[in-house]
Amino acid sequence: MKLTEKEIEIVELLEKNARLPIDTMAKMVSLSVSEVEDIIKKLEEAKVIVQYATIVDWRKVDGHEGVTAMIDVKVTPKRGVGFDEVAERIYRFPEVKSVYLMSGAYDLSVVIEGRSMSEIAHFVSEKLSTLDSVISTTTHFILKKYKHDGTVFEQGDQDRRIVVAP
């Protein structure tokens, strides 16, 4: 779908702040409120705008810290469907937040969230690695999130450690 300059401006504004009031957006792109509303509706119907999401810093919510892991997955693609079939089987698991087809040493990158490292280990050993097409996995646990989807996470005093070399 080819977008106009104004449509691209609106998408970029929404991508930065989906809660931006439509009247403010209309002023920013020099269109009327109804024109902006029509453009947004059109982009939602065309699935250019897929979803509006919120970025949450779960470290600030007691009892909800959780664990996030990025898993490198090597797979054997299936004839006629390539990587799509195994990717679909993987993204249907509720623990899975993202799946990407990659170039390089592995085929898929899978991002999952769990309550603990052992919960993620259980997912990898009992669900992911048992899939027919999966050859191997490498799991990387995220220790600290500095920036996510363009948003810089606030660093508390305990996170600001200055190391001075002797």
Side-chain angles (χ1 to χ4, degrees):
M1 170 180 217
K2 182 102 170 117
L3 299 184
T4 66
E5 272 189 50
K6 295 291 183 184
E7 290 169 338
I8 290 171
E9 283 182 66
I10 290 169
V11 169
E12 288 173 344
L13 288 170
L14 286 171
E15 191 175 38
K16 288 180 188 155
N17 181 2
R19 293 188 61 173
L20 191 64
I22 291 184
D23 60 330
T24 303
M25 213 179 315
K27 290 175 190 166
M28 293 172 79
V29 297
S30 303
L31 292 174
S32 70
V33 170
S34 64
E35 288 174 311
V36 172
E37 288 172 333
D38 290 345
I39 289 170
I40 292 171
K41 183 178 181 196
K42 173 183 134 184
L43 295 172
E44 289 171 342
E45 289 171 355
K47 299 292 185 205
V48 171
I49 298 173
V50 179
Q51 177 179 328
Y52 297 93
T54 301
I55 298 172
V56 178
D57 188 350
W58 286 108
R59 296 174 308 158
K60 295 183 177 184
V61 181
D62 292 341
H64 285 82
E65 293 83 13
V67 178
T68 303
M70 299 176 81
I71 306 167
D72 303 339
V73 185
K74 286 186 183 179
V75 300
T76 303
K78 295 208 173 180
R79 187 181 312 268
V81 293
F83 296 100
D84 295 346
E85 185 178 292
V86 70
E88 182 177 347
R89 289 181 70 195
I90 293 169
Y91 72 61
R92 291 194 180 279
F93 288 114
E95 301 91 337
V96 174
K97 300 302 171 196
S98 305
V99 179
Y100 304 98
L101 179 62
M102 307 297 290
S103 64
Y106 56 95
D107 303 306
L108 299 173
S109 178
V110 179
V111 178
I112 72 166
E113 292 179 358
R115 290 187 298 269
S116 65
M117 286 182 158
S118 61
E119 187 176 279
I120 288 175
H122 181 267
F123 170 83
V124 173
S125 64
E126 300 297 321
K127 294 181 179 179
L128 184 60
S129 64
T130 60
L131 294 175
D132 291 338
S133 298
V134 173
I135 298 168
S136 67
T137 64
T138 303
T139 303
H140 309 273
F141 288 98
I142 294 178
L143 302 177
K144 186 175 179 180
K145 192 182 296 188
Y146 294 99
K147 185 175 184 179
H148 180 80
D149 284 345
T151 300
V152 176
F153 280 71
E154 183 178 294
Q155 303 301 311
D157 289 337
Q158 72 276 12
D159 294 335
R160 293 185 193 165
R161 304 234 193 312
I162 298 172
V163 178
V164 179

